[in-house]
Amino acid sequence: MLKNITLSAEASLIDQAREKASNENSSLNHLFRQWLEDYVDRERIVREYKEFMESVSHVKTGGPYTRDEMNERR
């Protein structure tokens, strides 16, 4: 069940956010719902990130690299 809430922000900020959302083919409503889900689930997201980073900790990049090596085109 969806529930309406009221939020307050500067009008110019809302206008900028609406324009950015529109450019991303989205809406403030959709982005806020996504943010709310992420906010509530932040601990799980952090835990999964840490687990992932640990699972790839054995990977070695072979560096450090010089600036020229990092910018080399292949």
Side-chain angles (χ1 to χ4, degrees):
M1 177 178 109
L2 294 179
K3 183 175 182 178
N4 287 330
I5 63 171
T6 301
L7 302 171
S8 299
E10 292 294 326
S12 63
L13 184 60
I14 293 170
D15 292 341
Q16 291 172 12
R18 279 190 175 131
E19 183 175 339
K20 183 173 181 175
S22 177
N23 290 338
E24 296 172 353
N25 297 317
S26 191
S27 68
L28 286 184
N29 202 20
H30 172 77
L31 293 171
F32 177 72
R33 285 186 197 146
Q34 185 62 54
W35 175 83
L36 202 56
E37 289 174 12
D38 292 346
Y39 179 74
V40 168
D41 213 15
R42 187 173 294 159
E43 289 178 11
R44 180 192 59 80
I45 293 168
V46 169
R47 184 180 67 253
E48 287 178 0
Y49 172 78
K50 287 179 179 179
E51 289 170 359
F52 170 74
M53 292 305 289
E54 188 165 317
S55 75
V56 297
S57 65
H58 65 282
V59 175
K60 302 296 181 215
T61 63
Y65 298 104
T66 66
R67 172 181 246 150
D68 289 335
E69 290 171 327
M70 290 172 52
N71 291 311
E72 184 178 283
R73 304 278 189 242
R74 292 186 183 199

